[in-house]
């Protein structure tokens, strides 16, 4: 009698041993795409890269048979000159979220704490858990803004990293320079504070009291425990190439580089970033259009009865509570994709006038208003 060999996949003793805690770890969920639908779910820039940037990408493509510069030296030097820091204070990564992960890995051991407001960027708890750290969520204050006093009170002896997303994703709210200064002065000097400024280019001085416009680079000067994250994904329109940067003390930046995945910032991204910095004035003019459109969209929503906090980013936040998921589904059926946060609200990217009008056509409909007022 012959027997068939046992299937190795069915033998528990032969299975690869994976981290059991990862079974309960949710995966990051990106904004949806839908053929034929307008995508206002991922805070992307509607206009594509400038022709000069496209040309730089095409030229760099001729050399993709070679590895990229592992240190992104040219990009770091260009950023250092623009920001008034040294190249040793700049690290470039595969998007700012990659640098966020590196900062957690550089500061946290299993059981340590990563503290942040909630709701905020949905990747924060994930990068903490992947490193074996405990995510600590501090509820937002009324008005959907960071409660910095509550965050200070939540710091413990196990806190290693505090994340402040300013402007905050997904609510769009921002805290001013004075409030941030008081917070940073009160945080223990051995706790690293990360100011995530992915949407910094959409801030406007006229929205803040005189001298209160927040600027993480300025706030970080003389504070060795402050790191600033910024990105080329939003205002610079390079979301598909994945490149961001961190600015901090040379000691922290050197440590972050030790947990960097080699060559993860590709040569096309580096070339595009350099070309974008060269055309920065023209690119940032585009943000004026977005700012004007976000004010128009928010005003229309407020007039219709929606709760929409003051936004300083390239999106608006609709506080819809338990109706967020249904609102998103019906909006998708109407041909516009938005980003729902079940039980809380919906984030809507501000696109061009045509895209925004398409969204408002749905949002001001009787079906949508019934959800907003329920």
């Amino acid at each position: 009698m012959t027997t068939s060999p046992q299937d190795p996949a069915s033998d528990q003793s032969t299975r690869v041993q994976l981290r059991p805690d990862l079974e309960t770890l949710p995966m990051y969920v990106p904004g949806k795409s839908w053929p034929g639908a307008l995508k206002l779910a991922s805070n992307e820039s509607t206009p594509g890269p400038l022709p000069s940037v496209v040309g730089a990408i095409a030229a760099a493509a001729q050399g993709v048979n070679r590895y990229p510069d592992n240190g992104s030296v040219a990009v770091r030097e260009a950023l250092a000159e623009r920001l008034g820091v040294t190249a040793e204070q700049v690290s470039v990564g595969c998007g700012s979220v990659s640098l966020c992960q590196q900062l957690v890995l550089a500061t946290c051991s299993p059981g340590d704490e990563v503290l942040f407001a909630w709701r905020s960027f949905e990747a924060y708890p994930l990068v903490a858990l992947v490193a074996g750290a405990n995510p600590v969520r501090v509820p937002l204050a009324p008005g959907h803004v960071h409660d910095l006093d509550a965050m200070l009170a939540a710091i413990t002896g196990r806190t290693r990293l505090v994340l402040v997303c300013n402007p905050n994703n997904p609510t769009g709210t921002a805290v001013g320079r004075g409030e941030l200064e008081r917070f940073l002065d009160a945080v223990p000097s051995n706790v690293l504070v990360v100011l995530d400024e992915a949407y910094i280019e959409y801030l406007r001085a006229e929205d803040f009291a005189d001298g209160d416009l927040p600027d993480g680079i300025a706030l970080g000067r003389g504070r060795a425990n402050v790191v600033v994250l910024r990105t080329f994904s939003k205002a610079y329109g390079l979301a598909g190439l994945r490149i961001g940067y961190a600015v901090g003390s040379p000691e922290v930046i050197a440590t972050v580089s030790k947990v960097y995945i080699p060559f993860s910032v590709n040569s096309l991204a580096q070339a595009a970033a350099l070309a974008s910095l060269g055309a920065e004035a023209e690119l940032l003019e585009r943000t004026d259009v977005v700012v004007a459109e976000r004010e128009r969209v928010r005003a229309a929503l407020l007039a219709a009865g929606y709760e929409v906090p003051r936004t300083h980013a390239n999106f608006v936040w609709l506080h819809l509570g338990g109706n967020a998921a249904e609102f998103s589904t019906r909006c998708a059926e109407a041909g516009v994709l938005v980003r729902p946060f079940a039980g809380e609200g919906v984030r809507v990217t501000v696109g061009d006038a045509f895209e925004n009008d398409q969204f408002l056509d749905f949002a001001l409909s009787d079906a949508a208003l019934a959800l907003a007022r329920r």
Side-chain angles (χ1 to χ4, degrees), residues 186-204:
V187 173
S189 60
N190 64 329
V191 174
L192 188 68
V193 180
V194 178
L195 302 179
D196 187 345
E197 296 185 335
Y199 301 93
I200 190 72
E201 292 86 2
Y202 300 100
L203 288 174
R204 291 297 180 269

Side-chain angles (χ1 to χ4, degrees), residues 21 24 43 104 147 151 164 194 218 230-231 234 255 295 339:
D21 61 307
T24 60
N43 300 343
V104 174
D147 189 336
M151 293 178 71
V164 179
V194 178
R230 292 184 180 176
T231 184
K234 312 302 181 186
T255 303
E295 300 307 315
R339 183 64 180 267

Side-chain angles (χ1 to χ4, degrees), residues 45-72:
S45 171
T46 294
L50 294 173
S52 60
V53 177
V54 173
I57 294 170
Q62 302 299 315
V64 294
N65 57 308
R66 305 294 184 186
Y67 285 107
D69 174 11
N70 189 52
S72 301

Side-chain angles (χ1 to χ4, degrees), residues 45-103:
S45 171
T46 294
L50 294 173
S52 60
V53 177
V54 173
I57 294 170
Q62 302 299 315
V64 294
N65 57 308
R66 305 294 184 186
Y67 285 107
D69 174 11
N70 189 52
S72 301
V73 172
V75 179
R76 288 170 54 223
E77 290 178 344
L79 285 167
E81 181 177 358
R82 173 184 174 275
L83 299 171
V85 298
T86 66
E88 289 73 28
Q89 291 177 264
V90 181
S91 180
V92 176
C94 185
S96 58
V97 69
S98 174
L99 287 157
C100 185
Q101 177 80 78
Q102 290 171 241
L103 287 162

Side-chain angles (χ1 to χ4, degrees), residues 200-227:
I200 190 72
E201 292 86 2
Y202 300 100
L203 288 174
R204 291 297 180 269
E206 57 266 26
D207 295 331
F208 295 85
D210 186 35
D212 205 38
L213 180 70
D215 178 350
I217 305 298
L219 288 166
R221 298 189 195 282
R223 292 183 170 93
N225 67 327
V226 173
V227 171

Side-chain angles (χ1 to χ4, degrees), residues 72-336:
S72 301
V73 172
V75 179
R76 288 170 54 223
E77 290 178 344
L79 285 167
E81 181 177 358
R82 173 184 174 275
L83 299 171
V85 298
T86 66
E88 289 73 28
Q89 291 177 264
V90 181
S91 180
V92 176
C94 185
S96 58
V97 69
S98 174
L99 287 157
C100 185
Q101 177 80 78
Q102 290 171 241
L103 287 162
V104 174
L105 290 170
T107 56
C108 293
S109 298
D112 287 337
E113 295 173 352
V114 176
L115 189 150
F116 46 86
W118 200 251
R119 173 156 307 261
S120 193
F121 184 32
E122 62 268 28
Y124 291 162
L126 302 184
V127 297
L129 290 166
V130 166
N134 296 324
V136 178
R137 300 168 176 85
V138 179
L140 294 169
H144 311 283
V145 68
H146 277 70
D147 189 336
L148 295 181
D149 289 336
M151 293 178 71
L152 276 174
I155 294 175
T156 73
R158 296 307 301 269
T159 306
R160 298 291 176 266
L161 189 74
V162 177
L163 290 154
V164 179
C165 188
N166 199 48
N168 186 45
N169 177 15
T171 64
T173 53
V175 292
R177 177 171 180 153
E179 193 174 350
L180 279 173
E181 283 181 325
R182 289 189 292 273
F183 174 75
L184 294 173
D185 288 343
V187 173
S189 60
N190 64 329
V191 174
L192 188 68
V193 180
V194 178
L195 302 179
D196 187 345
E197 296 185 335
Y199 301 93
I200 190 72
E201 292 86 2
Y202 300 100
L203 288 174
R204 291 297 180 269
E206 57 266 26
D207 295 331
F208 295 85
D210 186 35
D212 205 38
L213 180 70
D215 178 350
I217 305 298
L219 288 166
R221 298 189 195 282
R223 292 183 170 93
N225 67 327
V226 173
V227 171
V228 178
L229 294 181
R230 292 184 180 176
T231 184
F232 287 92
S233 294
K234 312 302 181 186
Y236 293 88
L238 299 181
L241 283 178
R242 311 305 304 123
I243 182 165
Y245 59 96
V247 180
S249 71
E251 293 77 16
V252 171
I253 293 301
T255 303
V256 167
S257 299
K258 293 182 179 180
V259 289
Y260 168 75
I261 298 176
F263 305 113
S264 58
V265 182
N266 67 72
S267 53
L268 303 187
Q270 292 183 43
L274 283 170
S276 295
L277 288 172
E280 185 175 46
E282 185 177 358
L283 280 166
L284 294 184
E285 282 181 4
R286 294 179 173 185
T287 65
D288 291 333
V289 178
V290 173
V291 168
E293 278 295 297
R294 85 180 178 203
E295 300 307 315
R296 181 178 75 89
V297 171
R298 180 171 181 261
L301 293 169
L302 288 173
Y306 285 90
E307 179 183 343
V308 188
R310 182 82 169 123
T311 176
H312 301 272
N314 67 337
F315 53 84
V316 293
W317 171 253
L318 281 62
H319 182 63
L320 296 170
N323 294 324
E326 185 178 353
F327 183 97
S328 174
T329 297
R330 294 199 180 190
C331 194
E333 292 170 353
V336 181

